[in-house]
Structure formats: C-alpha cells, structure tokens
Amino acid sequence: MPAPVIRAHGLAKSYRVKGKPDVVAVGGIDFEVAPGESFGLLGPNGAGKSTTMKMIGAVSSRTAGDLEILGLDPDRCGPEIRSRLGVVPQQDNLDGELNARENLYIYGRYFGLPGKVCHRKADELLAFAQLEDKATSKVDQLSGGMKRRLTIARGLINDPRILLLDEPTTGLDPQARHVLWDRLFRLKERGTTLVLTTHYMDEAEQLCDRLIVVDKGRIMAEGTPSSLIREHSSREVLEVRFGSDRNAQAAERLHAVGDRVEVLPDRVLIYTADGEAALERVAAAGLEPVTSLVRRSSLEDVFLRLTGRSLIE
C-alpha cells in the first residue's frame, strides 16, 4: 500500500481567550488520506473543518498531536509543503484589478515559475475551467460559478500533489455546482488527491471516496458515504408534515410505524426499510399529513443520528 499523503494522530487545536477557558476547535482527531483519494470533512459550521484544513495547509500550527503532510511536519517544513499544495479557500480572493488570465499568470509567478511556463499553464487551466472566452474579462465581470472555477484553476497552477477545497460550492446555484463537480471529477480521474470540507451531504456523496463526520472538533464517524448510511441509517426515510404546531404531537403516535422517528421543527422523519409501506401505516393510524415524501437515506440522516441535530443549521 502506498504511504498516506496526510497522516494525523491526536491532532488538536485550541485558542486562548483572555479570562476564559481555552476554546477547543479540534479535539484530538485521527485520520489518513491515501494518494489520489478524494477525502471529505463533513459537518456544520463551527465543527472544526476549516481549522483542520488550515493545519493541513501549513498556515496554522497545531496545539497537540502529530501531523504529516507528504511525509513532512508542517510546523517545521511549512514553505516546502505549501509549494506542493493547491488551495481553494472558502471565500474567493481573486485580484479584481486583473483579468482571468492575469490572475493565473501572477499566481504562477508567486511559485517561481518562469513566465513562459505561466503563460502556457494559464491557457491550459482556462481551458480546463471552461473559461477560455473569459480570459480577458476582469474578475468582477464573472459570475459566482466562474469565479469559483477560476479559483480552482489558480490552485492548480503549481501542479499540486494535494488540492485543498474549503466549502467549494457554498453560495452557488445548482447548475454552477454541477459544473464545478464535473471539473473536480476530472481532477480525480487525473489522480489528484482532493481534500474538501462541506456541509452539503449531496456534495459529499458525489465527490468523496471516504469522509469523516465531524462535530464540535471531534470525529463522529468515518467511512465511505454508502457504508456510513448503511451503518447509521435505514434504507429509506418517510418525511411527513402535519404543521409546525402538530408535528411533535403526531410523532408520539408514529413510533411503531418505522425503526426510528425524528422530530424536526418543520417535519417528522420516519426511518424504515419501506417508505411507502410506512406511509400506509401512517394513514391506518388515522393521521393525515399535509405533505409526505419517501426518499433514500442520506448523510444528513447519518449526522442527525450521530448528533441529534440537523447538518445545516
């Protein structure tokens, strides 16, 4: 087996707050990432995902534990590690005074690449990001999805061994998300190691070979998306709505309908192997939901089972 490109053991990060106990952002986590793997950190805002990414990116030192990136300690070999990483931050930080091609060219020069190489790679990456016709457009003239694709292209200028993506599709419309997913699929096919944070369960299911579910700085579960769903949820979920003032009362009569019942503010979730059969049992109990939906279980349901709260708050 090839050596992991990322290895973390007991990785922890805390922040000092004057006059208060230390704030623990990451509470001692263990994980490894194999070469060419697409690895995800799934969790709500404030779970410790971005803090973990900063430590992997060698821009934030750890408080405790061990961390190796490409066999190197980021606290001692930060510049060398950063030269071999690509980074796509949560917020686009493109230079608005430059056009798309110039953003790529200048970033390549930061890595010490010769001018001719930067010009060639800029054109290649514009093609990869489907932005050839926007090469001379200023950043402010690009749509949100285009800016995101340009930011990913910029992160690839140095042929990174690992590409770090922090919430890559936050704020994008569905069409832009799918275009971006397609570009990331192509990177996977090339063998680039992807490490991404997200609070979108469909994104994690689409992009991740393996992931960890994190909450409050700790790992709640680890595995492939399908294995996590099999282990922590049922095959199907019946969603029923009776009205916000009636959901909890109705749920008290539904516990025999499925394997498990969860009450959310706007709906009741019934976990079962057969959602249609469960809906028939709801009707047989004399209950009439305002709306009903049968769907397959998702990573959202895994997170709800593990933490008792919804993934997106």
Side-chain angles (χ1 to χ4, degrees):
M1 293 290 292
V5 293
I6 301 174
R7 190 196 310 268
H9 179 69
L11 182 63
K13 178 72 175 183
S14 58
Y15 297 95
R16 291 186 175 180
V17 180
K18 188 175 182 180
K20 297 181 180 180
D22 290 355
V23 175
V24 178
V26 178
I29 60 177
D30 303 336
F31 64 90
E32 293 183 352
V33 181
E37 185 175 28
S38 181
F39 183 82
L41 292 85
L42 178 68
N45 293 330
K49 306 185 305 296
S50 294
T51 301
T52 301
M53 291 286 270
K54 289 177 181 177
M55 290 188 284
I56 294 173
V59 295
S60 179
S61 60
R62 61 191 182 273
T63 304
D66 298 317
L67 180 62
E68 287 185 1
I69 312 298
L70 300 170
L72 302 172
D73 184 337
D75 284 353
R76 293 197 296 265
C77 307
E80 184 176 354
I81 290 172
R82 289 191 292 271
S83 71
R84 300 160 74 181
L85 299 179
V87 178
V88 179
Q90 191 169 9
Q91 300 294 328
D92 293 326
N93 55 358
L94 299 163
D95 192 327
E97 298 299 315
L98 304 177
N99 64 34
R101 179 182 283 115
E102 289 167 344
N103 264 275
L104 297 177
Y105 176 86
I106 295 298
Y107 201 67
R109 295 293 287 160
Y110 288 153
F111 283 96
L113 300 177
K116 289 184 178 180
V117 174
C118 290
H119 281 301
R120 174 178 56 79
K121 292 187 70 63
D123 288 338
E124 291 174 354
L125 290 170
L126 286 170
F128 170 78
Q130 295 181 313
L131 292 172
E132 302 103 314
D133 59 336
K134 300 294 183 180
T136 59
S137 298
K138 292 290 183 66
V139 166
D140 292 341
Q141 298 172 321
L142 304 179
S143 68
M146 291 176 182
K147 290 178 182 177
R148 210 66 183 130
R149 293 190 333 252
L150 181 59
T151 304
I152 290 176
R154 188 188 63 179
L156 298 170
I157 196 76
N158 60 323
D159 293 322
R161 292 276 307 278
I162 304 170
L163 182 63
L164 307 179
L165 303 113
D166 195 3
E167 303 286 358
T169 65
T170 294
L172 299 185
D173 62 65
Q175 182 178 3
R177 290 180 74 206
H178 282 280
V179 172
L180 194 60
W181 286 354
D182 175 69
R183 299 299 96 183
L184 295 178
F185 276 128
R186 292 171 185 264
L187 288 176
K188 285 179 59 177
E189 291 174 344
R190 294 181 182 182
T192 302
T193 301
L194 305 181
V195 180
L196 65 103
T197 73
T198 183
H199 59 257
Y200 294 135
M201 57 278 186
D202 57 340
E203 182 160 273
E205 289 185 54
Q206 287 283 336
L207 296 178
C208 297
D209 302 317
R210 192 167 53 88
L211 58 89
I212 54 177
V213 179
V214 294
D215 186 36
K216 299 178 181 177
R218 297 189 178 277
I219 295 176
M220 309 300 292
E222 179 177 356
T224 65
S226 59
S227 70
L228 288 172
I229 292 170
R230 285 195 305 270
E231 182 179 354
H232 297 284
S233 191
S234 57
R235 187 169 67 88
E236 293 186 342
V237 183
L238 169 62
E239 297 189 3
V240 286
R241 289 179 168 86
F242 299 93
S244 57
D245 57 342
R246 296 181 56 222
N247 284 333
Q249 182 180 4
E252 295 177 359
R253 300 170 57 186
L254 294 174
H255 288 284
V257 170
D259 302 325
R260 189 174 101 254
V261 174
E262 294 280 0
V263 182
L264 300 183
D266 62 334
R267 62 196 186 278
V268 179
L269 307 181
I270 302 171
Y271 292 90
T272 178
D274 188 336
E276 293 294 343
L279 183 57
E280 292 177 3
R281 291 193 290 272
V282 171
L287 295 170
E288 297 181 0
V290 177
T291 64
S292 62
L293 170 69
V294 175
R295 60 171 176 80
R296 69 181 181 89
S297 282
S298 72
L299 289 171
E300 170 83 11
D301 302 297
V302 172
F303 190 82
L304 185 60
R305 177 68 180 273
L306 293 172
T307 69
R309 58 197 179 93
S310 180
L311 184 63
I312 301 177
E313 300 179 323

